Amino acid sequence: MERVSVFGTGYLGATHAAGMAELGHEVIGVDTDEAKVARLQAGDLPFFEPGLPELLARHVESGRLRFTTDPAEAASEADVHFIGVGTPQKHGKHAADLTQVHAVVDALAPLLDRPAVILGKSTVPVGTAAQLTMRFQELAPAGAAVELGWNPEFLREGLAVQDTLRPDRIVLGVDPGRPGSVEEVTRRIYAPILDAGTPVIVTDLATAELAKVAANAFLATKISFINAMAEVCDAVGADVRDLADAIGHDARIGRAFLNAGLGFGGGCLPKDLRAFRARASELGVGESLAFLREVESINTRRRGRVVDLARQAVGGRLEGARIAVLGVAFKPDSDDIRDSPALDVAGRLHLEGADVLVYDPRAMANAARSWPTLAFADSVEDAVAGARLVIVATEWQEFREADPGALAKLVVERQVIDARNCLDVDAWCAAGWRYQGLGRHAS
Ligand code: UGA
């Protein structure tokens, strides 16, 4: 058992804190947001993540996991400190905003008067960890006895618990110039995971930082690649899902992340891509990542394409057209609407004067906060009742399993745009719907 603290209690931090408690450690979660800390301390998770509420409640109850706003408690009780705060996009710029990371260093370092290990998990521009090492050692009374490693996090929202407890790899960056106990401590913390045979890559700090942004850039590139293929499929009447299967069986390519549709969004891929490009430019290698600009423009084109299809479907003018948008979360099993392609489409249709009614199983409260003028329905049925067009914008299970025959009776026109290519084309067509996918067509 180790005594650890986790700074930041957002998706990453809260999940990591609960995961560390599950591995048997004594965990203290630290956040500056008093309301959030109070909720977490009451065992109440402020966002939707399957399986996490149970984990949180169990370990808060047992006392193995607690939350505070006071970094001094973390400094006095824990010997290992994880940094899991957010690194959003800078306002009006592409680069990452490291304000929260620096705030943790400034709050924690002066309190470290005995040897400690800091493990960074936040996604940061390459080079940050080396700077933070110096800053910690300058500010901490324990000086060089404070060591830093970089241990990027690869968890996916919706699968965060599983990804934390059974990750597919552990990456650890250490400073080869300052050999110390970081690797040994990290191996102790993750012992149950490592004992299960999980691969570990121990490398230098810069490589570990890059591993995270490179992984997200690759995933985004894969998605945009298949979306570009969807555009070509549309031009020739080919089927992008069959195409993805056909190439995905090649183990060198792999089928995962080849689902064409509305493209990627969320709090990570889009902003990490931009921050990576910004950092590469600073380093004088902007050219090397120039292709990521194309990845992003393919991605944004998807949203415009769905709006264009919707306009055509209702006769060329969106004004006054009743449209049901099913899904506003950036992906299923999440209530996250950050940079959500689905919400963007709903918003654009609304701004063009369409009479949009939105339904999402989890994300409506968040969507209503960021788009207060959008109208929301209580169910799929309420959303589609009276609609001239239905758009499936997030591939929730509930939409995939919806009965096209029953929905057909509620709408004014049987038109569906399957913006996530997730519906059973034959079943929808058999129920009389005019079906349009993205790079996929009714036969
Ligand atoms: C992503 C990465 O997958 C995680 O490994 C990483 O840890 C995380 O970002 C992060 O940096 O914190 P996440 O944002 O939860 O995880 O979501 P993904 O499952 O990667 O999906 C991202 C977006 O791509 C979603 O909008 C999804 O709908 C879209 N997507 C995904 C597609 O359009 N097609 C696909 O085939 C797969």
Side-chain angles (χ1 to χ4, degrees):
M1 192 273 292
E2 302 289 321
R3 292 180 309 166
V4 312
S5 81
V6 180
F7 281 76
T9 60
Y11 278 100
L12 192 168
T15 312
H16 190 67
M20 292 304 97
E22 179 73 6
L23 293 187
H25 305 303
E26 291 253 329
V27 186
I28 178 158
V30 189
D31 203 293
T32 49
D33 183 335
E34 283 181 22
K36 204 193 265 181
V37 163
R39 280 185 72 173
L40 288 164
Q41 189 54 40
D44 178 18
L45 191 67
F47 53 88
F48 174 71
E49 181 61 44
L52 192 52
E54 295 78 3
L55 211 61
L56 175 74
R58 192 160 72 240
H59 294 301
V60 166
E61 196 155 306
S62 74
R64 208 190 276 165
L65 171 60
R66 62 187 198 82
F67 295 91
T68 180
T69 52
D70 184 3
E73 288 182 40
S76 73
E77 289 174 33
D79 306 303
V80 179
H81 306 281
F82 286 99
I83 302 178
V85 290
T87 51
Q89 191 172 332
K90 264 189 191 158
H91 195 68
K93 297 217 167 82
H94 279 178
D97 177 351
L98 295 182
T99 309
Q100 294 178 52
V101 173
H102 290 138
V104 171
V105 181
D106 291 345
L108 177 63
L111 303 167
L112 297 175
D113 53 11
R114 60 172 198 271
V117 167
I118 313 292
L119 288 173
K121 293 203 83 62
S122 305
T123 303
V124 292
V126 59
T128 304
Q131 283 170 6
L132 296 185
T133 306
M134 291 195 314
R135 187 105 183 109
F136 263 109
Q137 298 191 342
E138 253 166 48
L139 294 178
V146 175
E147 299 171 54
L148 181 134
W150 213 258
N151 169 221
E153 178 58 63
F154 300 100
L155 68 78
R156 294 159 292 178
E157 289 180 20
L159 296 165
V161 172
Q162 161 188 329
D163 286 349
T164 301
L165 298 176
R166 288 183 296 282
D168 44 22
R169 80 288 212 189
I170 299 229
V171 174
L172 176 66
V174 294
D175 185 344
R178 302 171 209 238
S181 54
V182 175
E183 182 178 349
E184 184 201 316
V185 169
T186 309
R187 284 185 184 273
R188 263 206 318 268
I189 287 180
Y190 292 125
I193 293 174
L194 300 181
D195 290 349
T198 308
V200 193
I201 293 98
V202 180
T203 181
D204 56 86
L205 292 170
T207 308
E209 293 169 311
L210 277 174
K212 173 58 194 258
V213 281
N216 275 359
F218 190 82
L219 293 171
T221 304
K222 244 188 136 175
I223 298 169
S224 279
F225 175 85
I226 201 66
N227 280 329
M229 293 305 114
E231 294 180 353
V232 178
C233 285
D234 272 335
V236 292
D239 187 298
V240 75
R241 282 221 331 186
D242 289 349
L243 179 67
D245 290 343
I247 63 173
H249 277 295
D250 183 332
R252 293 170 303 173
I253 296 173
R255 179 63 177 81
F257 271 66
L258 285 183
N259 294 321
L262 206 38
F264 58 82
C268 303
L269 260 47
K271 65 112 177 148
D272 287 355
L273 225 59
R274 293 174 199 137
F276 196 13
R277 272 175 44 211
R279 183 68 183 133
S281 297
E282 282 169 14
L283 294 168
V285 285
E287 190 83 346
S288 309
L289 298 189
F291 73 98
L292 290 180
R293 204 172 22 217
E294 196 55 38
V295 166
E296 198 173 339
S297 43
I298 294 168
N299 195 52
T300 344
R301 274 209 298 273
R302 310 309 288 158
R303 306 169 183 197
R305 165 92 179 136
V306 171
V307 174
D308 289 346
L309 286 176
R311 199 183 300 104
Q312 282 162 23
V314 297
R317 267 176 70 87
L318 284 163
E319 219 169 345
R322 258 283 289 122
I323 299 178
V325 175
L326 301 182
V328 278
F330 85 105
K331 70 173 188 181
D333 294 323
S334 170
D335 64 358
D336 198 342
I337 48 122
R338 286 176 293 171
D339 214 330
S340 165
L343 184 57
D344 191 30
V345 165
R348 288 191 201 195
L349 295 171
H350 169 67
L351 289 179
E352 277 201 46
D355 178 5
V356 178
L357 204 45
V358 167
Y359 171 73
D360 187 288
R362 292 280 174 180
M364 287 199 291
N366 285 340
R369 266 192 292 277
S370 78
W371 270 97
T373 55
L374 270 180
F376 296 90
D378 289 334
S379 64
V380 173
E381 289 73 18
D382 285 352
V384 306
R388 292 180 59 196
L389 170 67
V390 175
I391 301 177
V392 176
T394 310
E395 68 277 34
W396 283 94
Q397 187 81 9
E398 183 181 343
F399 307 153
R400 282 205 292 247
E401 289 172 355
D403 175 0
L407 296 183
K409 297 192 186 104
L410 303 173
V411 294
V412 169
E413 285 175 50
R414 297 178 184 185
Q415 299 199 81
V416 64
I417 296 176
D418 180 6
R420 288 292 180 181
N421 289 343
C422 63
L423 302 178
D424 179 341
V425 184
D426 295 340
W428 281 74
C429 290
W433 290 82
R434 180 171 164 261
Y435 173 95
Q436 268 190 294
L438 298 183
R440 189 187 185 212
H441 309 271
S443 42

